Amino acid sequence: MISADPSASRTQAPPASEGGGPARRLPVIDAARAAALLAMAAYHATWDLGFLRLSPENYALSGLGRAAAHVIAGSFLVLVGIGLVLMNGRGIRPRPTLFRLLRIALAAAAITAATWVAFPDSFIFFGILHCIAVASVLGLPFLFLPAWASAACAILVLAAPHLVRAEVLDAPALLFLGLGAGTPRTNDYVPLFPWFGMVLAGIAAGRLGLTRLARSRLGRWQPRSRLGRAATFAGRHSLAIYLVHQPVLLGLLSGGAMLTGPHPRAGEAGFRAEYVQNCRRTGGEARSCRVAARCTMERLRGEDLWRADGGFTPEQRLRAQGLSQACYEAAEGTRAAP
């Protein structure tokens, strides 16, 4: 699950850069944040469809889905770094900075509490809001270092998980670092390494490019249309949108699931993958396991024994096991197909 970037306050100080900065807000930054919000909502809707079994499988958990999640999260964190430059680039502004940090920290705590109740086995203990809160503090000194120093540190932070892996860092109190040997079970995991590197990249980009952006045609853009005004409004209120969008999506889609029921092919991909894994573990040949998995799936459906949740009666379980054995023997060529 991916959250929005609440990095910009309603009033922003002029951004600092290598050569000074513009003395006004840049609506194009708000619009960029709105575009990332839209991508995030689309990803979460895809995840919800899979979670509620309204799609054949959870495409958000596929390789392409995970790649999209990383791109979206990275874009938000880069915008966090740019937002830090916009707010504090010419000197730390204590009151708005502390107020912003408090809002994000409270929102992160609320996400942890809510997911503890809804998903106790995979609650969010260090998701993107938690990362933003910590990164917003750690990033402040970099606002006053040369941009090349921020860029160099960004590269080191991004590379750290590939260079450092230690089981001692799997201790619960250190999981937020992201340098342990394993990956914790959680619905949103955005550890400081490598993700703080994206914030540092945003700081470097802001220091180098905001002045040039402000002087460009894109930087002078002002929203005239209804769509443009809506986009910049959403970008300015991204934290609030993040907090409400997923409950709204889940509520609407859950209502739809009650009316339509699960997708006819929901759970099939997971069943076949688990079947093949178990088959290989007991010594089966890969091709035979795949053929048997497909055969078993078809036979279970043909005899109205398919249960995506595995809810068999004892008699049904015996029959399903018999079909599975027959399918595997047929795949091996030792028995006719059932």
Side-chain angles (χ1 to χ4, degrees), residues 29-49:
I29 300 296
D30 293 325
R33 193 175 292 111
L37 279 171
L38 183 61
M40 174 200 67
Y43 174 85
H44 282 163
T46 303
W47 189 93
D48 294 341
L49 288 170

PDB file of all heavy atoms in Angstrom, residues 29-49:
ATOM      1  N   ILE A  29       4.344  21.917  -9.214  1.00  0.00           N
ATOM      2  CA  ILE A  29       4.740  20.918  -8.215  1.00  0.00           C
ATOM      3  C   ILE A  29       3.497  20.285  -7.601  1.00  0.00           C
ATOM      4  O   ILE A  29       3.438  19.067  -7.391  1.00  0.00           O
ATOM      5  CB  ILE A  29       5.614  21.557  -7.124  1.00  0.00           C
ATOM      6  CG1 ILE A  29       6.888  22.150  -7.745  1.00  0.00           C
ATOM      7  CG2 ILE A  29       5.966  20.543  -6.047  1.00  0.00           C
ATOM      8  CD1 ILE A  29       7.801  21.123  -8.373  1.00  0.00           C
ATOM      9  N   ASP A  30       2.476  21.100  -7.319  1.00  0.00           N
ATOM     10  CA  ASP A  30       1.222  20.554  -6.803  1.00  0.00           C
ATOM     11  C   ASP A  30       0.569  19.623  -7.824  1.00  0.00           C
ATOM     12  O   ASP A  30       0.019  18.579  -7.473  1.00  0.00           O
ATOM     13  CB  ASP A  30       0.260  21.687  -6.441  1.00  0.00           C
ATOM     14  CG  ASP A  30       0.739  22.509  -5.268  1.00  0.00           C
ATOM     15  OD1 ASP A  30       1.351  21.933  -4.348  1.00  0.00           O
ATOM     16  OD2 ASP A  30       0.519  23.734  -5.277  1.00  0.00           O
ATOM     17  N   ALA A  31       0.632  20.008  -9.099  1.00  0.00           N
ATOM     18  CA  ALA A  31       0.047  19.169 -10.142  1.00  0.00           C
ATOM     19  C   ALA A  31       0.797  17.845 -10.263  1.00  0.00           C
ATOM     20  O   ALA A  31       0.183  16.789 -10.483  1.00  0.00           O
ATOM     21  CB  ALA A  31       0.060  19.918 -11.475  1.00  0.00           C
ATOM     22  N   ALA A  32       2.120  17.878 -10.116  1.00  0.00           N
ATOM     23  CA  ALA A  32       2.898  16.642 -10.153  1.00  0.00           C
ATOM     24  C   ALA A  32       2.515  15.729  -8.995  1.00  0.00           C
ATOM     25  O   ALA A  32       2.393  14.509  -9.150  1.00  0.00           O
ATOM     26  CB  ALA A  32       4.394  16.970 -10.097  1.00  0.00           C
ATOM     27  N   ARG A  33       2.301  16.326  -7.839  1.00  0.00           N
ATOM     28  CA  ARG A  33       1.873  15.531  -6.689  1.00  0.00           C
ATOM     29  C   ARG A  33       0.492  14.938  -6.925  1.00  0.00           C
ATOM     30  O   ARG A  33       0.218  13.789  -6.551  1.00  0.00           O
ATOM     31  CB  ARG A  33       1.875  16.413  -5.438  1.00  0.00           C
ATOM     32  CG  ARG A  33       1.752  15.645  -4.131  1.00  0.00           C
ATOM     33  CD  ARG A  33       1.875  16.554  -2.930  1.00  0.00           C
ATOM     34  NE  ARG A  33       3.226  17.083  -2.826  1.00  0.00           N
ATOM     35  CZ  ARG A  33       3.544  18.348  -3.035  1.00  0.00           C
ATOM     36  NH1 ARG A  33       2.611  19.214  -3.365  1.00  0.00           N
ATOM     37  NH2 ARG A  33       4.785  18.747  -2.916  1.00  0.00           N
ATOM     38  N   ALA A  34      -0.387  15.688  -7.567  1.00  0.00           N
ATOM     39  CA  ALA A  34      -1.727  15.174  -7.879  1.00  0.00           C
ATOM     40  C   ALA A  34      -1.650  13.998  -8.845  1.00  0.00           C
ATOM     41  O   ALA A  34      -2.409  13.021  -8.725  1.00  0.00           O
ATOM     42  CB  ALA A  34      -2.597  16.290  -8.458  1.00  0.00           C
ATOM     43  N   ALA A  35      -0.743  14.076  -9.824  1.00  0.00           N
ATOM     44  CA  ALA A  35      -0.575  12.957 -10.761  1.00  0.00           C
ATOM     45  C   ALA A  35      -0.108  11.710 -10.027  1.00  0.00           C
ATOM     46  O   ALA A  35      -0.576  10.588 -10.303  1.00  0.00           O
ATOM     47  CB  ALA A  35       0.424  13.341 -11.853  1.00  0.00           C
ATOM     48  N   ALA A  36       0.796  11.889  -9.068  1.00  0.00           N
ATOM     49  CA  ALA A  36       1.253  10.751  -8.276  1.00  0.00           C
ATOM     50  C   ALA A  36       0.118  10.205  -7.410  1.00  0.00           C
ATOM     51  O   ALA A  36       0.005   8.993  -7.210  1.00  0.00           O
ATOM     52  CB  ALA A  36       2.444  11.160  -7.410  1.00  0.00           C
ATOM     53  N   LEU A  37      -0.727  11.093  -6.900  1.00  0.00           N
ATOM     54  CA  LEU A  37      -1.892  10.652  -6.133  1.00  0.00           C
ATOM     55  C   LEU A  37      -2.825   9.797  -6.972  1.00  0.00           C
ATOM     56  O   LEU A  37      -3.362   8.786  -6.505  1.00  0.00           O
ATOM     57  CB  LEU A  37      -2.661  11.871  -5.610  1.00  0.00           C
ATOM     58  CG  LEU A  37      -2.148  12.565  -4.357  1.00  0.00           C
ATOM     59  CD1 LEU A  37      -2.911  13.871  -4.156  1.00  0.00           C
ATOM     60  CD2 LEU A  37      -2.288  11.673  -3.140  1.00  0.00           C
ATOM     61  N   LEU A  38      -3.047  10.201  -8.213  1.00  0.00           N
ATOM     62  CA  LEU A  38      -3.917   9.439  -9.102  1.00  0.00           C
ATOM     63  C   LEU A  38      -3.335   8.050  -9.362  1.00  0.00           C
ATOM     64  O   LEU A  38      -4.062   7.050  -9.345  1.00  0.00           O
ATOM     65  CB  LEU A  38      -4.096  10.194 -10.418  1.00  0.00           C
ATOM     66  CG  LEU A  38      -5.038   9.554 -11.445  1.00  0.00           C
ATOM     67  CD1 LEU A  38      -6.443   9.419 -10.886  1.00  0.00           C
ATOM     68  CD2 LEU A  38      -5.059  10.379 -12.731  1.00  0.00           C
ATOM     69  N   ALA A  39      -2.023   7.986  -9.592  1.00  0.00           N
ATOM     70  CA  ALA A  39      -1.374   6.694  -9.796  1.00  0.00           C
ATOM     71  C   ALA A  39      -1.481   5.829  -8.542  1.00  0.00           C
ATOM     72  O   ALA A  39      -1.725   4.619  -8.621  1.00  0.00           O
ATOM     73  CB  ALA A  39       0.085   6.903 -10.181  1.00  0.00           C
ATOM     74  N   MET A  40      -1.321   6.441  -7.389  1.00  0.00           N
ATOM     75  CA  MET A  40      -1.443   5.708  -6.131  1.00  0.00           C
ATOM     76  C   MET A  40      -2.845   5.147  -5.958  1.00  0.00           C
ATOM     77  O   MET A  40      -3.030   3.988  -5.580  1.00  0.00           O
ATOM     78  CB  MET A  40      -1.122   6.640  -4.961  1.00  0.00           C
ATOM     79  CG  MET A  40      -1.357   6.044  -3.588  1.00  0.00           C
ATOM     80  SD  MET A  40      -1.531   7.309  -2.308  1.00  0.00           S
ATOM     81  CE  MET A  40      -3.081   8.066  -2.799  1.00  0.00           C
ATOM     82  N   ALA A  41      -3.867   5.951  -6.257  1.00  0.00           N
ATOM     83  CA  ALA A  41      -5.249   5.484  -6.124  1.00  0.00           C
ATOM     84  C   ALA A  41      -5.529   4.322  -7.072  1.00  0.00           C
ATOM     85  O   ALA A  41      -6.223   3.359  -6.709  1.00  0.00           O
ATOM     86  CB  ALA A  41      -6.214   6.638  -6.381  1.00  0.00           C
ATOM     87  N   ALA A  42      -4.975   4.393  -8.290  1.00  0.00           N
ATOM     88  CA  ALA A  42      -5.164   3.302  -9.245  1.00  0.00           C
ATOM     89  C   ALA A  42      -4.500   2.026  -8.735  1.00  0.00           C
ATOM     90  O   ALA A  42      -5.069   0.926  -8.854  1.00  0.00           O
ATOM     91  CB  ALA A  42      -4.587   3.697 -10.602  1.00  0.00           C
ATOM     92  N   TYR A  43      -3.315   2.156  -8.159  1.00  0.00           N
ATOM     93  CA  TYR A  43      -2.639   0.986  -7.602  1.00  0.00           C
ATOM     94  C   TYR A  43      -3.437   0.386  -6.455  1.00  0.00           C
ATOM     95  O   TYR A  43      -3.615  -0.834  -6.370  1.00  0.00           O
ATOM     96  CB  TYR A  43      -1.240   1.366  -7.128  1.00  0.00           C
ATOM     97  CG  TYR A  43      -0.545   0.229  -6.412  1.00  0.00           C
ATOM     98  CD1 TYR A  43       0.145  -0.739  -7.129  1.00  0.00           C
ATOM     99  CD2 TYR A  43      -0.600   0.118  -5.024  1.00  0.00           C
ATOM    100  CE1 TYR A  43       0.768  -1.798  -6.485  1.00  0.00           C
ATOM    101  CE2 TYR A  43       0.017  -0.938  -4.367  1.00  0.00           C
ATOM    102  CZ  TYR A  43       0.695  -1.893  -5.103  1.00  0.00           C
ATOM    103  OH  TYR A  43       1.292  -2.945  -4.451  1.00  0.00           O
ATOM    104  N   HIS A  44      -3.919   1.224  -5.565  1.00  0.00           N
ATOM    105  CA  HIS A  44      -4.687   0.723  -4.422  1.00  0.00           C
ATOM    106  C   HIS A  44      -5.999   0.087  -4.865  1.00  0.00           C
ATOM    107  O   HIS A  44      -6.446  -0.904  -4.281  1.00  0.00           O
ATOM    108  CB  HIS A  44      -4.953   1.852  -3.426  1.00  0.00           C
ATOM    109  CG  HIS A  44      -3.773   2.167  -2.568  1.00  0.00           C
ATOM    110  ND1 HIS A  44      -3.649   3.337  -1.854  1.00  0.00           N
ATOM    111  CD2 HIS A  44      -2.648   1.449  -2.306  1.00  0.00           C
ATOM    112  CE1 HIS A  44      -2.514   3.329  -1.188  1.00  0.00           C
ATOM    113  NE2 HIS A  44      -1.886   2.197  -1.445  1.00  0.00           N
ATOM    114  N   ALA A  45      -6.631   0.648  -5.891  1.00  0.00           N
ATOM    115  CA  ALA A  45      -7.859   0.038  -6.411  1.00  0.00           C
ATOM    116  C   ALA A  45      -7.558  -1.358  -6.966  1.00  0.00           C
ATOM    117  O   ALA A  45      -8.347  -2.297  -6.763  1.00  0.00           O
ATOM    118  CB  ALA A  45      -8.471   0.923  -7.494  1.00  0.00           C
ATOM    119  N   THR A  46      -6.415  -1.500  -7.637  1.00  0.00           N
ATOM    120  CA  THR A  46      -6.018  -2.809  -8.150  1.00  0.00           C
ATOM    121  C   THR A  46      -5.781  -3.788  -7.009  1.00  0.00           C
ATOM    122  O   THR A  46      -6.199  -4.949  -7.060  1.00  0.00           O
ATOM    123  CB  THR A  46      -4.736  -2.676  -9.000  1.00  0.00           C
ATOM    124  OG1 THR A  46      -4.964  -1.735 -10.049  1.00  0.00           O
ATOM    125  CG2 THR A  46      -4.321  -4.005  -9.593  1.00  0.00           C
ATOM    126  N   TRP A  47      -5.113  -3.320  -5.958  1.00  0.00           N
ATOM    127  CA  TRP A  47      -4.877  -4.171  -4.787  1.00  0.00           C
ATOM    128  C   TRP A  47      -6.193  -4.575  -4.136  1.00  0.00           C
ATOM    129  O   TRP A  47      -6.384  -5.742  -3.767  1.00  0.00           O
ATOM    130  CB  TRP A  47      -4.002  -3.416  -3.783  1.00  0.00           C
ATOM    131  CG  TRP A  47      -3.511  -4.264  -2.642  1.00  0.00           C
ATOM    132  CD1 TRP A  47      -2.324  -4.939  -2.577  1.00  0.00           C
ATOM    133  CD2 TRP A  47      -4.192  -4.510  -1.399  1.00  0.00           C
ATOM    134  NE1 TRP A  47      -2.234  -5.597  -1.378  1.00  0.00           N
ATOM    135  CE2 TRP A  47      -3.354  -5.357  -0.637  1.00  0.00           C
ATOM    136  CE3 TRP A  47      -5.413  -4.113  -0.865  1.00  0.00           C
ATOM    137  CZ2 TRP A  47      -3.703  -5.801   0.644  1.00  0.00           C
ATOM    138  CZ3 TRP A  47      -5.771  -4.560   0.399  1.00  0.00           C
ATOM    139  CH2 TRP A  47      -4.927  -5.384   1.136  1.00  0.00           C
ATOM    140  N   ASP A  48      -7.107  -3.636  -4.006  1.00  0.00           N
ATOM    141  CA  ASP A  48      -8.399  -3.927  -3.380  1.00  0.00           C
ATOM    142  C   ASP A  48      -9.190  -4.957  -4.186  1.00  0.00           C
ATOM    143  O   ASP A  48      -9.836  -5.846  -3.616  1.00  0.00           O
ATOM    144  CB  ASP A  48      -9.220  -2.638  -3.241  1.00  0.00           C
ATOM    145  CG  ASP A  48      -8.597  -1.648  -2.273  1.00  0.00           C
ATOM    146  OD1 ASP A  48      -7.753  -2.073  -1.459  1.00  0.00           O
ATOM    147  OD2 ASP A  48      -8.937  -0.458  -2.349  1.00  0.00           O
ATOM    148  N   LEU A  49      -9.167  -4.838  -5.513  1.00  0.00           N
ATOM    149  CA  LEU A  49      -9.878  -5.796  -6.355  1.00  0.00           C
ATOM    150  C   LEU A  49      -9.350  -7.214  -6.127  1.00  0.00           C
ATOM    151  O   LEU A  49     -10.129  -8.170  -6.051  1.00  0.00           O
ATOM    152  CB  LEU A  49      -9.737  -5.412  -7.829  1.00  0.00           C
ATOM    153  CG  LEU A  49     -10.521  -4.180  -8.289  1.00  0.00           C
ATOM    154  CD1 LEU A  49     -10.098  -3.779  -9.691  1.00  0.00           C
ATOM    155  CD2 LEU A  49     -12.021  -4.446  -8.244  1.00  0.00           C
TER     156      LEU A  49
END
